Amino acid sequence: MDEPGDIQKPDKGYYFKFFNPTTDIKLIRFFLQDNNFIELHQQNNGFQQQNLLSSAHSSLTRKHEKGFQQNWTIMWSCSIMKSNVFQSMSKYQKINHFPKSFELTRKDFMFERLSRMISIHGKRHFNFTPMTYVLPKEYETLQNEMSENPQQWWIIKPSNSAQGKGIYITNDFRDVNQSMQTKQPLVASHYIGNPLLINGLKFDLRIYVTIMSINPLRVYIYDEGLARFATCKYSDVANETKANRYMHLTNYSINKFNKKAFVQNNDPDKMNGTQGSKWSLAALRKELGVMGIDSDSLFRKIEDIVLKTIISSEPILNNAFEMFVPHRSNCFELLGFDILIDSNLNPWLLEVNLSPSLACDSLLDQQIKAPLISDLFNLAGFVDLEYQKFVNQIQRQKKEGNDTSDNRANSSQRDSSILNNSNKNIAQKVKKIKIASIKAQTFQDPMIAQLISSPTFQGLPKLQKQIVKESLEEALRRGQFKMIFPNERFMYYKTFFEEDRPLNILVDKIYKDLRVYLNMYQFTQ
């Protein structure tokens, strides 16, 4: 029951819930609530709305309430989910993970997949990871390597941890052997001893990447991100400095505790953003320009790393998706790629994060992560219950054969009118983020309209036609996300797929005629 004086938010037909929430969900919760989503939470083995139901919904009987509470629009998870969660989804529900996406983000799995790609395609195409061994599987190989080359330093990381936990640097196998007593899987990588320095400090980049579809593969990279600095001047690793985590590790979760040196960036406009222990990528690009470094060339290399890493796990992701996910548009994924740049301007992949931190500890965090989430949700393209009802009604009528012959003659026009009107209503409901599907607006665009009326498009099978439409709609509402697959080098990246995907070829063919246009177009409501 609502407390006296509670302000009732209007029920817009959007609902969200969290799966096993741990950290970093405040931004998601506040953002969705601010845009009139209603939260459902688990209570007594059932989903209950969290003090936000309208008076009409609060009077539902238990029978109706049970069905109503399954109509969440988005489930946000900070952890891996079991297959049955995916299998139970309806067409218009979305989850922020793909099944088995941990194949990309567990360090041992990721390095094994990339090692396999090197064995198939050669080092010259996949030369962006340091020499790495997976333990305990390659225990003896690492032991031999460390014995033969005692001057080489190694960075040891737990395979399935984050925030710098359990990481250390060594050139002594006895340290590794001691770590193995915990029976925790580890990875051991060559330590990159020549990092690019700014103001004498080591830094890495947090690059935000989203996968919107596995088949066809559609990948976007966010225009902004973070440069995260160590808080102690760098010097070559040695026995005297190897334990200095503030020098060798760039994790924010570690360096924020160096109270003597860590500086929170609460004024991103000061000194062109180049102050504090975290910068925006925009500020970093400006500083690289001052240093005479071509940042465009550097970030093209980073995009190459992102794509090849995702493609290395594509067979597993695709098989899991086909096995467990009932509808093509149920899943999307936000990943955090951590990249280190060396003094020769080579970017190196350190790791990929399954649920990158969305904590906002400074004004800089808020300025980057809030628009990131806005554009991410726009890209995902949610629809509300009103839209679902229209579609379900149309499908039910067609299935039951209730149309008259006159109605059937004009069914395509009628269905389009209903859905477009529904989408216009949805778009009017949400003002702060454009989370509605944009079919009505998109296909009024002359170039898109010309494309979908062409004989080539009209001759496609129904499923392919729908995939092309969805892909174009998505691209036109991408905000600050840049589409990096498919791209101009599609035929090059195609060679790295384990299997040919006809839908990849189809979408690339459509994009070829529109690529220049899509690169200029920004969806505005």
Side-chain angles (χ1 to χ4, degrees), residues 117 121 125-126 128 217 300-309 311-312 484-500 504:
M117 298 298 276
H121 301 286
H125 294 293
F126 288 82
F128 50 80
L217 183 64
R300 281 195 296 271
K301 294 179 183 178
I302 292 173
E303 291 175 11
D304 181 72
I305 289 174
V306 168
L307 269 182
K308 289 175 177 174
T309 303
I311 291 172
S312 73
I484 60 171
F485 193 84
N487 63 21
E488 293 87 347
R489 301 180 71 201
F490 174 82
M491 295 307 296
Y492 169 71
Y493 289 106
K494 181 177 177 291
T495 63
F496 301 119
F497 282 81
E498 191 170 288
E499 297 180 36
D500 280 341
N504 285 342

Side-chain angles (χ1 to χ4, degrees), residues 252-352:
Y252 166 75
S253 54
I254 291 173
N255 282 281
K256 67 180 180 180
F257 293 109
N258 187 2
K259 296 182 180 180
K260 294 182 179 180
F262 180 81
V263 178
Q264 193 69 272
N265 192 340
N266 282 315
D267 190 357
D269 297 325
K270 188 176 181 180
M271 297 173 58
N272 291 320
T274 59
Q275 64 105 31
S277 297
K278 272 199 291 192
W279 299 0
S280 68
L281 289 186
L284 177 71
R285 281 176 175 268
K286 290 179 182 177
E287 183 67 16
L288 293 176
V290 172
M291 297 166 64
I293 295 172
D294 182 355
S295 64
D296 289 341
S297 174
L298 181 61
F299 276 83
R300 281 195 296 271
K301 294 179 183 178
I302 292 173
E303 291 175 11
D304 181 72
I305 289 174
V306 168
L307 269 182
K308 289 175 177 174
T309 303
I310 292 172
I311 291 172
S312 73
S313 295
E314 187 268 353
I316 295 175
L317 297 178
N318 185 70
N319 290 341
F321 186 83
E322 289 185 348
M323 186 176 297
F324 300 122
V325 182
H327 305 286
R328 192 175 57 256
S329 59
N330 281 148
C331 302
F332 64 97
E333 189 88 45
L334 178 67
L335 301 167
F337 278 69
D338 291 345
I339 303 290
L340 179 73
I341 304 167
D342 70 19
S343 57
N344 297 318
L345 304 183
N346 296 313
W348 296 87
L349 175 64
L350 302 180
E351 60 185 62
V352 183

Side-chain angles (χ1 to χ4, degrees), residues 456-473:
T456 301
F457 180 84
Q458 293 299 324
L460 293 174
K462 182 178 179 181
L463 175 60
Q464 293 186 11
K465 192 180 295 186
Q466 187 60 37
I467 288 173
V468 170
K469 283 185 177 182
E470 290 173 356
S471 300
L472 291 173
E473 290 173 1

Side-chain angles (χ1 to χ4, degrees), residues 135-147 173:
L135 307 176
K137 184 184 298 185
E138 297 176 298
Y139 177 89
E140 292 183 0
T141 307
L142 175 64
Q143 184 178 21
N144 294 334
E145 178 81 14
M146 294 184 75
S147 297
F173 188 75

Side-chain angles (χ1 to χ4, degrees), residues 329-384:
S329 59
N330 281 148
C331 302
F332 64 97
E333 189 88 45
L334 178 67
L335 301 167
F337 278 69
D338 291 345
I339 303 290
L340 179 73
I341 304 167
D342 70 19
S343 57
N344 297 318
L345 304 183
N346 296 313
W348 296 87
L349 175 64
L350 302 180
E351 60 185 62
V352 183
N353 294 271
L354 179 70
S355 295
S357 172
L358 296 175
C360 292
D361 297 333
S362 67
L363 182 59
L364 174 66
D365 286 318
Q366 185 176 350
Q367 286 187 355
I368 291 175
K369 295 175 183 179
L372 166 69
I373 294 303
S374 174
D375 286 347
L376 177 69
F377 286 166
N378 286 332
L379 201 57
F382 304 108
V383 295
D384 69 4

Side-chain angles (χ1 to χ4, degrees), residues 31 61 72 81 149 178 188 239 283 350 419 429 453 488 518:
F31 193 85
T61 63
W72 48 268
M81 292 176 292
N149 190 5
Q178 184 176 356
N239 285 322
L350 302 180
L419 297 182
K429 289 181 178 183
S453 63
E488 293 87 347
L518 289 172

